[in-house]
Amino acid sequence: MGPSRAPKSRAAKRAVTPPIEGTKSTERVNTPTQKEKVAILGLRGDAGISKKKSRKKQLSTKQKQRKEAAMEKGEAALEKLDHKREESKQRGRIVQARRGNWSELNEKIEVELEQVTKPVEIDVK
C-alpha cells in the first residue's frame, strides 16, 4: 500500500476511481472516426456551415439602368484588356522575329570579316 494521501490533496483528486457498475455515464461510447464524421455530415444536403441567403427583391428601373451601365463598362474594360494583350503578343512576336534575323545577320558579318581580314598572299618573284 502506498503513502497515505490527504482527502483534499491534488494527488487524491487525480486518483483513478474504479467505474461503478450499472451506470451509463461511465460507459465509453464508441466515437465515430474522422471518415465517419465526414460521411455523416454529407448525408444532409444542407449540412455544414452555410451563409444565410437573402431574398432578392425586384430592382427598380434606376437600379437596373445602373447595373446595365456597370456591366457595359466592365465589358468595355475587358475588351480593352484583351486588345492590349493582343498588341503585346504582336510586339513580342516582332521582337522574336528580330532576334532571329540579328543572329543570322551577325553570322554573315562574321564571315565577311573573316574574308576581309585574311592575309593576302602576294607573289613576289
Side-chain angles (χ1 to χ4, degrees):
M1 199 156 163
S4 63
R5 295 184 188 122
K8 292 190 176 184
S9 70
R10 186 170 145 236
K13 289 178 186 175
R14 293 183 57 155
V16 178
T17 58
I20 302 170
E21 297 291 328
T23 60
K24 292 184 180 182
S25 63
T26 58
E27 292 179 10
R28 292 205 54 126
V29 178
N30 291 337
T31 57
T33 63
Q34 185 66 23
K35 288 182 180 178
E36 291 173 347
K37 287 179 185 178
V38 172
I40 290 169
L41 285 176
L43 291 177
R44 292 182 56 194
D46 60 346
I49 300 170
S50 60
K51 188 174 182 180
K52 187 185 273 189
K53 295 182 180 175
S54 61
R55 296 181 193 177
K56 296 221 173 189
K57 64 177 189 172
Q58 193 71 17
L59 296 176
S60 69
T61 306
K62 293 278 188 180
Q63 287 174 327
K64 287 179 188 175
Q65 289 174 352
R66 274 189 236 121
K67 188 174 182 180
E68 287 177 18
M71 293 296 285
E72 289 174 6
K73 284 182 181 178
E75 289 173 5
L78 286 176
E79 288 176 14
K80 186 185 282 188
L81 184 62
D82 288 339
H83 182 69
K84 285 184 173 185
R85 282 188 187 135
E86 288 300 320
E87 285 181 348
S88 176
K89 286 179 184 177
Q90 188 64 28
R91 284 193 302 268
R93 288 186 195 115
I94 291 170
V95 168
Q96 292 296 327
R98 260 194 255 136
R99 177 185 290 173
N101 291 340
W102 278 109
S103 63
E104 290 174 10
L105 184 63
N106 287 337
E107 289 174 6
K108 288 179 185 176
I109 291 173
E110 287 176 4
V111 169
E112 289 175 5
L113 281 174
E114 288 175 3
Q115 290 175 355
V116 171
T117 57
K118 278 186 182 177
V120 180
E121 294 179 18
I122 303 175
D123 290 334
V124 179
K125 287 191 181 186

